[in-house]
Amino acid sequence: MDKRQPSRNAELGLSTRAIHHGYDPAEEHGALTPPIFMTSTYAFETAEAGSELFRGERAGYIYGRTRNPTQALLEARLASLEGGEAALAVASGMGAISATMWTLLSAGDSVVIDRILYGNTFAFFTKGLTRFGVNVRLADFTDPDALAQALAAEDRLKLVYFETPANPNLRIIDVARVSSLAKSAGALSIVDNTFATPILQNPLKLGADLVVHSATKYLGGHGDLLGGAVVGSSALIEQIRGTGLRALTGATLSPLNAFLILRGLKTLEVRMERHSRSAQQIAELLGSHPLVSHVTYPGLKSFPQYELAQRQMRQPGGLIAFELEGGVEAGMAFMNRLELVVRAVSLGDAETLVQHPASMTHATYSADERKRHGISDSLLRLSVGLENVEDLMADIAQALDHVHASKRQAD
Ligand code: PLP
């Protein structure tokens, strides 16, 4: 649709672009659904044409590690949804983060990262990049003065990196504020938008330079693939595609997975609405139960950054973090008592998933780091799925009631 009516592009809603952008059935034998190009390499019309393609003097496809038409459509749609000029689809969220960092950083450069990140992202920065001579500094991005000081202390500062809402405790970072501080310090700002998706917020429109995604989560939406993406200006994306490192790391997304993510995108807006609506109800249920000592959900008035969440996000999303009276032991007992909610890491699937970050997704932080960074060992993270919300609430309530009764007997 956009292809045929490019002038209307900017006016079209998110769902419309997620369903139609960049594809014209007339160009593919009338096929309503875009084809999957399962090919590893491409035939050159002539030997000279092949050389021209390699020199960048002719547009077209060369080899599957660098570009594929199914990926190209996914990239066009993600760029449109995030409000970027271009996107690069890669094999996983970690592939997106590592390809971006290997491209933008050299030995001697500095990066400043927020202190609460997905466990493997934290490990990639603090244990991975440091081995190659990159200086990795930590700061609390919710404290603009401390962040400004941390940025000013670096003389080869290249970029700042953060998640909002952050994994696992849903802390929110003011994207406009941090991006403007980074810009004044001559650095790029890079935001992991996995938890919010382009449906709930668009960091590029708030001043960020690049957005990264684990498409494994909400974008794919069905727990059946791994994928990732980076979105931003054409210049940065082409740098990451070319110099970089999708070609050189081999973190290429398979055409089949690109197709599945394209399919997921078609329902992203309706799924995010349902995830958010159900999560709000479940967060309220948790907040009213005597066993629950603490609930963190951006849609609750008790959320410490409620105003910022209202301003920055269109809806509060599908993730909830909470703690039980009785700490880790009660948390484990609660998880084991659940019958419908599945004990699993990952998020953004149709199934509701629960996990214990300290021993699972954030076990890459040492106990001391978790303590210093404010990731409680008692925290549980719930990714609210698409099941009937009454069924979910009944399952969660019965597990809470059971652990509460056992605890009272023991006390
Ligand atoms: N970013 C966030 C916020 C995540 O939660 C994850 C995975 O859980 C990743 C990145 C990494 O993505 P992937 O598992 O697709 O490599």
Side-chain angles (χ1 to χ4, degrees):
M1 179 186 275
D2 297 343
K3 232 176 174 178
R4 284 167 285 160
Q5 298 172 297
S7 59
R8 287 192 52 219
N9 201 4
E11 296 160 30
L12 297 171
L14 288 167
S15 275
T16 311
R17 282 182 276 142
I19 294 168
H20 293 283
H21 180 82
Y23 181 66
D24 181 353
E27 289 177 10
E28 299 293 350
H29 312 284
L32 177 69
T33 300
I36 311 173
F37 288 87
M38 294 297 276
T39 184
S40 52
T41 197
Y42 300 83
F44 307 136
E45 227 172 283
T46 60
E48 290 76 14
S51 304
E52 284 165 21
L53 277 163
F54 268 84
R55 285 196 298 270
E57 293 163 7
R58 171 191 280 260
Y61 295 94
I62 299 178
Y63 183 65
R65 197 179 332 101
T66 36
R67 216 188 279 258
N68 166 289
T70 317
Q71 284 167 1
L73 178 58
L74 172 62
E75 289 168 352
R77 280 202 187 156
L78 287 174
S80 167
L81 293 177
E82 283 290 12
E85 290 172 357
L88 180 70
V90 282
S92 70
M94 288 314 299
I97 296 163
S98 54
T100 302
M101 296 307 150
W102 292 130
T103 305
L104 299 178
L105 298 170
S106 304
D109 290 342
S110 298
V111 301
V112 179
I113 61 172
D114 186 34
R115 59 193 209 173
I116 300 195
L117 297 174
Y118 164 57
N120 282 319
T121 305
F122 178 73
F124 174 70
F125 277 104
T126 58
K127 299 194 178 79
L129 286 175
T130 48
R131 286 176 40 225
F132 296 87
V134 174
N135 302 308
V136 177
R137 316 285 186 216
L138 291 148
D140 178 354
F141 280 36
T142 60
D143 179 346
D145 294 336
L147 178 59
Q149 257 182 13
L151 300 185
E154 303 303 322
D155 38 293
R156 273 184 59 184
L157 180 67
K158 278 285 157 64
L159 57 95
V160 305
Y161 185 93
F162 59 101
E163 298 172 1
T164 182
N167 190 355
N169 67 4
L170 308 176
R171 213 163 128 271
I172 291 188
I173 308 296
D174 187 333
V175 178
R177 186 85 199 263
V178 169
S179 301
S180 122
L181 285 174
K183 199 171 190 165
S184 314
L188 298 174
S189 47
I190 304 183
V191 182
D192 185 328
N193 202 26
T194 299
F195 273 31
T197 82
I199 303 298
L200 305 193
Q201 70 189 11
N202 302 112
L204 299 177
K205 294 188 179 166
L206 298 172
D209 295 288
L210 285 171
V211 159
V212 296
H213 277 285
S214 168
T216 313
K217 313 295 175 357
Y218 290 108
L219 303 186
H222 295 76
D224 51 10
L225 60 89
L226 273 96
V230 198
V231 192
S233 67
S234 302
L236 282 173
I237 295 300
E238 285 318 310
Q239 201 186 337
I240 301 167
R241 185 195 302 280
T243 330
L245 291 174
R246 177 166 84 187
L248 305 189
T249 59
T252 305
L253 184 71
S254 85
L256 176 61
N257 282 4
F259 170 84
L260 289 171
I261 299 167
L262 281 165
R263 186 165 72 167
L265 288 183
K266 291 185 182 183
T267 55
L268 184 62
E269 188 168 34
V270 284
R271 285 188 285 111
M272 292 315 290
E273 280 165 10
R274 172 70 171 253
H275 284 299
S276 292
R277 206 166 49 241
S278 296
Q280 180 78 36
Q281 284 177 260
I282 292 172
E284 283 165 16
L285 166 80
L286 289 166
S288 67
H289 198 281
L291 186 68
V292 178
S293 56
H294 195 71
V295 189
T296 310
Y297 180 66
L300 290 180
K301 293 235 165 72
S302 60
F303 184 69
Q305 299 162 294
Y306 181 74
E307 297 301 323
L308 175 58
Q310 292 286 309
R311 182 156 37 92
Q312 189 165 278
M313 299 173 71
R314 297 185 191 99
Q315 294 162 56
L319 285 142
I320 306 173
F322 61 103
E323 292 178 56
L324 303 184
E325 299 285 352
V328 180
E329 204 184 320
M332 293 292 188
F334 165 77
M335 283 175 64
N336 286 330
R337 186 74 192 177
L338 290 163
E339 290 166 3
L340 182 58
V341 174
V342 182
R343 291 169 289 278
V345 294
S346 203
L347 57 111
D349 295 338
E351 295 80 1
T352 298
L353 309 177
V354 69
Q355 66 112 1
H356 175 234
S359 66
M360 298 174 186
T361 53
H362 290 70
T364 49
Y365 283 74
S366 67
D368 181 53
E369 282 167 340
R370 282 196 302 277
K371 200 164 176 194
R372 275 189 285 118
H373 297 205
I375 302 171
S376 162
D377 275 2
S378 305
L379 199 74
L380 300 180
R381 194 194 70 193
L382 191 71
S383 168
V384 176
L386 301 174
E387 302 94 333
N388 179 302
V389 71
E390 306 293 334
D391 294 339
L392 291 174
M393 293 205 296
D395 190 33
I396 291 166
Q398 67 76 26
L400 288 173
D401 290 346
H402 176 84
V403 178
H404 190 223
S406 318
K407 189 171 171 299
R408 278 170 63 181
Q409 258 176 8
D411 286 348

